[in-house]
Amino acid sequence: MKGVKKADLPAKTCPVCNRPFTWRKKWERVWDEVKYCSDRCRGDARKGKGKREGDVTRS
C-alpha cells in the first residue's frame, strides 16, 4: 500500500473563507506561496470582498 493519508498532509487556513485546506500535488513546488484554497477565494481577495463565509450586512 502506498500513499499518504490526507490527515498527515500539511494544512493552511484560507484568509478569505477561514476554512482549512490541505496540500495538493499540483502545489508541491509552490506550497510556501499558496495563500488561498481556491480560484474563487483568490478572486474575491483581489476584488476586496474580504471574508465570504458568514458575511452579514445589516442596515
Side-chain angles (χ1 to χ4, degrees):
M1 183 178 202
K2 73 175 196 175
V4 177
K5 294 180 183 176
K6 191 156 183 144
D8 295 335
L9 294 173
K12 293 182 180 183
T13 301
C14 178
V16 176
C17 65
N18 288 320
R19 292 182 178 181
F21 63 97
T22 56
W23 183 92
R24 295 183 186 177
K25 178 70 175 170
K26 70 179 184 177
W27 293 335
E28 184 173 20
R29 293 187 176 130
V30 294
W31 178 244
D32 292 334
E33 300 167 20
V34 174
K35 295 180 184 177
Y36 307 106
C37 64
S38 65
D39 288 338
R40 180 177 177 178
C41 282
R42 184 176 50 192
D44 286 353
R46 286 183 180 170
K47 293 175 185 174
K49 288 188 178 180
K51 299 183 187 297
R52 274 196 351 233
E53 187 177 324
D55 275 354
V56 177
T57 54
R58 298 180 185 188
S59 302

